[in-house]
Amino acid sequence: MASSRPYVSELSTIRGPLKEAGLERSQVPLTLMLLGKTGNGKSSLGNALLGCNESAEAPFQVKSGFVSCQEHEPRLEEGIIQERPVNIIDTPGVLDNVNDEQALDGICKAISLNPGGVTAFVIVLRADSRFTKEESKAVDQLQSLFGDKFWDHAICVFTHGDVALRGGQAAFESQLKIARQQVSNLDTILTKVGVRWLIVDCHNLGRSKLTEFVLMLDSVRSKNKGECYTNALFKEAQLRYAKANGPALLASLRKTKKELRELKKDYKQLQDTMSKQLLEEKIKALEGKMEGQETQIKTLQHDLTAAIKKAAKKSCELL
């Protein structure tokens, strides 16, 4: 049974606008940022797009569990896809953080790696497993961190196609349709990206899939008239986030300070060594939490003070 989605033909319609805008086959590197949870196949996809296997010499090292989150910073690698120069930014562990501040820090580091901005954000999901609550939270993080403009530059790639496509493309699309009805944030992603999604086997990424991938990138460039998602857009999104979340952050900080005062008061009254040790650990944890909250609030206040005007530069400035 043929695919229910006239995929390539729909994406191919962007070639005309690109040619008219002088953007067709441009030699300006396309910059991609891979986003997704550890284990979804970001690094494997990055290696496959660059034509590399997952050996020790591969640009992006594939590791499991918490190793990716803790030991690796976002990094950029250059390469060629279908005769097109590309910069690929991997973001190991960035969306594994339940802490919005840590996720923000990781994204800041990643987006600053290429001063020219990001052509396309590649949301990487597994095609052979459930869409988890953590991934739903990651979708919310993407929206709050990058703002609405994020979706104009977003595409979606499902990995582990060797497993998910055993029943064929049409069967996978049928399963995906059911999943979208049951999981609102998965439906949000696919509604926002429209036809700009595909499913791949990172161990066998053939020429036809690479062609579809490049067509998706060109679709993004056409939609945005060749403009990248820059640091200026990112800062504007942070400002909106600050205005929306500032009051809640201040309330949370006041609550933490109150808890800390009460714990220190109880600590002074305790005589039992074991109980005092437990309280010391709680006090230390709360002090760390309070320090993080204060840092986040100072950052938001600084951003609000230096608010970006609508006529902000389109070039990327490091955070």
Side-chain angles (χ1 to χ4, degrees):
M1 179 178 176
S3 169
S4 60
R5 196 165 54 111
Y7 179 67
V8 176
S9 62
E10 287 187 53
L11 287 179
S12 295
T13 61
I14 54 90
R15 282 176 169 164
L18 277 175
K19 189 173 183 179
E20 291 175 10
L23 298 171
E24 191 178 29
R25 308 293 290 182
S26 170
Q27 290 306 300
V28 175
L30 306 173
T31 299
L32 322 176
M33 184 183 293
L34 307 178
L35 297 168
K37 286 181 61 60
T38 295
N40 281 7
K42 296 189 306 299
S43 299
S44 295
L45 176 62
N47 290 330
L49 290 172
L50 294 174
C52 304
N53 58 27
E54 292 172 8
S55 65
E57 292 77 30
F60 302 115
Q61 291 303 299
V62 180
K63 298 195 176 185
S64 60
F66 291 105
V67 176
S68 288
C69 308
Q70 295 175 346
E71 292 188 359
H72 297 282
E73 294 286 321
R75 62 177 298 176
L76 180 148
E77 292 289 343
E78 300 176 355
I80 302 290
I81 302 177
Q82 296 288 70
E83 302 179 359
R84 309 285 286 277
V86 295
N87 297 320
I88 298 181
I89 300 172
D90 191 14
T91 58
V94 166
L95 294 184
D96 297 332
N97 294 303
V98 294
N99 185 303
D100 286 345
E101 184 183 353
Q102 291 176 339
L104 176 62
D105 180 62
I107 292 298
C108 285
K109 291 177 180 177
I111 204 168
S112 68
L113 288 175
N114 189 64
V118 175
T119 307
F121 296 100
V122 184
I123 303 171
V124 183
L125 302 174
R126 287 185 67 127
D128 64 337
S129 62
R130 292 180 180 274
F131 190 83
T132 65
K133 291 181 179 179
E134 288 78 14
E135 283 173 317
S136 286
K137 177 176 174 58
V139 175
D140 293 333
Q141 281 184 326
L142 291 174
Q143 180 73 53
S144 63
L145 289 173
F146 290 105
D148 292 336
K149 287 288 185 180
F150 168 82
W151 297 108
D152 291 339
H153 296 266
I155 64 179
C156 182
V157 174
F158 290 93
T159 61
H160 296 77
D162 53 325
V163 176
L165 289 177
R166 286 173 181 169
Q169 178 79 20
F172 172 72
E173 290 180 15
S174 178
Q175 294 172 3
L176 192 60
K177 182 178 180 180
I178 295 172
R180 291 180 66 171
Q181 293 171 349
Q182 298 175 349
V183 185
S184 61
N185 273 359
L186 175 59
D187 184 63
T188 294
I189 291 175
L190 295 177
T191 298
K192 295 286 190 180
V193 302
V195 298
R196 299 194 307 269
W197 69 266
L198 77 160
I199 177 171
V200 303
D201 172 7
C202 293
H203 301 290
N204 185 26
L205 194 59
R207 186 173 182 83
S208 63
K209 288 292 183 182
L210 286 173
T211 298
E212 290 185 44
F213 187 78
V214 170
L215 280 171
M216 288 200 302
L217 299 181
D218 282 341
S219 176
V220 169
R221 293 173 68 230
S222 177
K223 181 179 182 66
N224 296 290
K225 299 180 180 179
E227 296 290 341
C228 291
Y229 183 101
T230 64
N231 201 289
L233 291 174
F234 184 49
K235 294 280 276 185
E236 288 176 355
Q238 289 180 61
L239 291 175
R240 286 192 292 273
Y241 176 84
K243 291 175 181 177
N245 295 277
L249 285 171
L250 287 170
S252 179
L253 177 60
R254 286 194 291 269
K255 181 180 178 182
T256 302
K257 286 182 175 180
K258 182 180 178 181
E259 291 177 7
L260 191 57
R261 285 196 301 271
E262 292 175 350
L263 279 179
K264 287 182 176 180
K265 182 179 179 181
D266 292 341
Y267 179 82
K268 290 180 179 179
Q269 297 174 355
L270 280 174
Q271 300 297 324
D272 180 64
T273 303
M274 184 64 71
S275 297
K276 292 187 77 170
Q277 184 177 352
L278 290 173
L279 270 187
E280 284 176 355
E281 293 175 358
K282 289 183 178 180
I283 288 171
K284 186 176 180 181
L286 271 180
E287 286 175 338
K289 180 180 178 181
M290 186 177 70
E291 183 179 348
Q293 290 172 331
E294 288 176 337
T295 299
Q296 189 175 7
I297 288 171
K298 286 179 181 178
T299 300
L300 296 180
Q301 289 172 337
H302 176 270
D303 287 344
L304 285 170
T305 301
I308 297 175
K309 298 179 180 179
K310 289 184 179 180
K313 295 179 182 179
K314 291 183 178 179
S315 60
C316 185
E317 299 173 1
L318 300 188
L319 292 173

